[in-house]
Amino acid sequence: MKVIVDLCVVPMGVGVSVSKYVAECQKVLQDAGLEHQLHAYGTNIEGDWDDVFAAIKHCHQRVHAMGAPRITTSIKVGTRTDRDQTMQDKIDSVTNGNL
Amino acid sequence: MKVIVDLCVVPMGVGVSVSKYVAECQKVLQDAGLEHQLHAYGTNIEGDWDDVFAAIKHCHQRVHAMGAPRITTSIKVGTRTDRDQTMQDKIDSVTNGNL
Amino acid sequence: MKVIVDLCVVPMGVGVSVSKYVAECQKVLQDAGLEHQLHAYGTNIEGDWDDVFAAIKHCHQRVHAMGAPRITTSIKVGTRTDRDQTMQDKIDSVTNGNL
Amino acid sequence: MKVIVDLCVVPMGVGVSVSKYVAECQKVLQDAGLEHQLHAYGTNIEGDWDDVFAAIKHCHQRVHAMGAPRITTSIKVGTRTDRDQTMQDKIDSVTNGNL
């Protein structure tokens, strides 16, 4: 099952700056070979359900290993059976009026 | 890795009433033997990472099988390495002032 | 416009335990006279759009005033024009099969 | 109070394709003069708390007026008192290692 995911990992108990943890999660996604695109409040990811969620679990493990005692993560997951759709298709459908 | 999750599954393309799909997801969680608690905008779930996410995938499969062509789901996931905490502990820490 | 909201306020840079900040937000909602129900990963709130969002802004102001330098909050907002629905109605429609 | 927001508006009861509603929300943000950036699972917005939330309310009103009987929206809201930060700053802090 193909998914488009939006991921926002928030380490807690590590102070106010969390970008090094987010950067580490980008590496995890990169190493997993998943299409992903960082934005100002999360990261869009595209791939097979199992691959994407394995990578998200890996992010939690890595961020804890870096010293964060607590993590709260927000995930949005989209699946559809009516047609294939990429992350770029979703953006194009809004900006180009391909409804 | 133990998780506390908040899950909100939104079937799209099936009209305005979605409660039968949500009820089906409750059955999936029940059948998986996971602690869960429905609220007005989602369901709290407690369990092992792999069990909880297997059940969430199962929810998507079941809701698609019921006829929903598209699903958008919101998930919050909490993990911590500093101590064990149940869903009830989280509520108690706020209401009883066990900070 | 009537809304049902799910609110989850996450103070950052204040250590791992955040329940006193969540408890303060409960007081803000209480003082605003809004129907609300705490759960293990947030709080359901019911009321008029402007009242609810004024209270959420107030929560941010109060949590900053308590010393949190950074806050990341997740909100789900539901509105509908087809019928009135309370938080309890939403739960009943799933548990009682009033689809 | 300055906010960085991530907004995802999901119209329900209007079929499987929702991009025309999302496009309308882009117009609302544009007309409000707010910095915003569409991504594959939402839109980042930057501005004053009151301006941003007025625009989000406006989105709900407009999407209902277009015929959607029900809307469920996800919002992430970030505020901080320690320093000014733009949407681009957040991305740069991850990609450039300005931790």
Side-chain angles (χ1 to χ4, degrees):
Chain A
M1 185 161 43
K2 166 82 181 305
V3 293
I4 294 180
V5 158
D6 191 58
L7 175 70
C8 178
V9 174
V10 179
M12 297 171 70
V14 293
V16 80
S17 179
V18 299
S19 50
K20 74 175 172 184
Y21 304 93
V22 177
E24 188 66 25
C25 292
Q26 301 299 302
K27 278 190 218 156
V28 170
L29 299 173
Q30 189 67 35
D31 293 349
L34 292 165
E35 283 289 311
H36 63 285
Q37 182 63 49
L38 180 72
H39 60 78
Y41 223 131
T43 303
N44 298 152
I45 314 167
E46 185 178 318
D48 179 71
W49 182 293
D50 291 337
D51 298 336
V52 172
F53 281 96
I56 295 173
K57 184 184 177 185
H58 203 166
C59 289
H60 270 246
Q61 292 169 324
R62 200 73 76 83
V63 170
H64 280 309
M66 290 172 76
R70 187 175 185 179
I71 306 170
T72 183
T73 289
S74 295
I75 304 168
K76 288 198 281 273
V77 196
T79 57
R80 50 197 310 177
T81 54
D82 57 334
R83 65 182 182 96
D84 277 336
Q85 190 183 39
T86 65
M87 299 189 294
Q88 192 57 48
D89 289 337
K90 288 190 73 177
I91 291 172
D92 292 346
S93 71
V94 174
T95 53
N96 301 347
N98 301 325
L99 311 178
Chain B
M1 189 162 42
K2 165 84 182 305
V3 293
I4 295 181
V5 158
D6 191 59
L7 175 70
C8 179
V9 175
V10 179
M12 297 171 70
V14 293
V16 81
S17 179
V18 299
S19 50
K20 73 176 174 183
Y21 303 93
V22 177
E24 189 65 24
C25 291
Q26 301 299 303
K27 277 190 218 157
V28 169
L29 299 173
Q30 189 67 35
D31 293 350
L34 293 165
E35 282 291 310
H36 63 286
Q37 182 63 47
L38 180 72
H39 60 78
Y41 223 131
T43 301
N44 297 154
I45 313 168
E46 185 178 319
D48 178 72
W49 181 294
D50 292 337
D51 298 336
V52 171
F53 281 96
I56 294 173
K57 183 184 178 186
H58 203 165
C59 288
H60 269 245
Q61 293 169 324
R62 200 74 75 81
V63 170
H64 280 310
M66 289 172 77
R70 186 175 187 179
I71 306 172
T72 184
T73 288
S74 296
I75 304 170
K76 288 198 283 274
V77 196
T79 58
R80 52 198 306 177
T81 53
D82 57 333
R83 65 179 181 100
D84 276 337
Q85 190 184 39
T86 65
M87 300 190 293
Q88 191 57 47
D89 290 337
K90 288 190 72 177
I91 291 173
D92 292 346
S93 71
V94 173
T95 54
N96 301 348
N98 301 326
L99 312 176
Chain C
M1 186 161 43
K2 166 83 182 304
V3 293
I4 294 180
V5 158
D6 191 58
L7 174 70
C8 179
V9 174
V10 179
M12 297 171 70
V14 293
V16 81
S17 179
V18 298
S19 50
K20 74 174 173 184
Y21 304 93
V22 177
E24 188 65 25
C25 292
Q26 301 299 303
K27 277 190 219 157
V28 170
L29 299 173
Q30 190 67 36
D31 292 349
L34 293 165
E35 282 290 309
H36 63 287
Q37 182 63 49
L38 180 73
H39 60 78
Y41 223 132
T43 302
N44 298 153
I45 314 167
E46 185 178 318
D48 179 71
W49 182 293
D50 292 337
D51 298 336
V52 171
F53 281 96
I56 294 173
K57 184 184 177 186
H58 203 166
C59 289
H60 270 245
Q61 292 169 325
R62 199 75 75 84
V63 171
H64 280 310
M66 289 172 75
R70 188 175 185 180
I71 306 170
T72 184
T73 289
S74 295
I75 304 169
K76 288 198 282 273
V77 196
T79 57
R80 51 197 308 177
T81 53
D82 58 333
R83 65 181 181 97
D84 277 336
Q85 190 183 40
T86 65
M87 300 190 293
Q88 192 57 47
D89 290 337
K90 287 189 74 177
I91 292 173
D92 291 346
S93 71
V94 174
T95 54
N96 301 347
N98 301 326
L99 312 176
Chain D
M1 189 162 40
K2 166 85 181 305
V3 293
I4 295 181
V5 158
D6 191 58
L7 174 70
C8 179
V9 174
V10 179
M12 298 171 70
V14 293
V16 82
S17 179
V18 298
S19 50
K20 74 174 173 183
Y21 303 94
V22 177
E24 187 66 25
C25 292
Q26 301 299 304
K27 277 189 220 159
V28 170
L29 300 173
Q30 189 67 35
D31 293 349
L34 293 164
E35 282 291 310
H36 63 286
Q37 183 62 49
L38 180 71
H39 61 78
Y41 223 131
T43 303
N44 298 153
I45 314 168
E46 186 178 319
D48 178 72
W49 181 294
D50 292 337
D51 297 338
V52 171
F53 281 96
I56 295 173
K57 183 183 178 186
H58 203 166
C59 288
H60 270 245
Q61 291 170 325
R62 199 74 75 84
V63 170
H64 280 311
M66 289 172 77
R70 188 175 184 178
I71 306 170
T72 184
T73 289
S74 296
I75 303 168
K76 288 198 282 273
V77 196
T79 58
R80 52 197 308 177
T81 54
D82 58 333
R83 65 180 182 100
D84 276 337
Q85 190 183 39
T86 65
M87 300 190 293
Q88 192 58 45
D89 290 337
K90 289 190 72 176
I91 292 172
D92 291 346
S93 71
V94 174
T95 54
N96 301 348
N98 302 326
L99 311 177

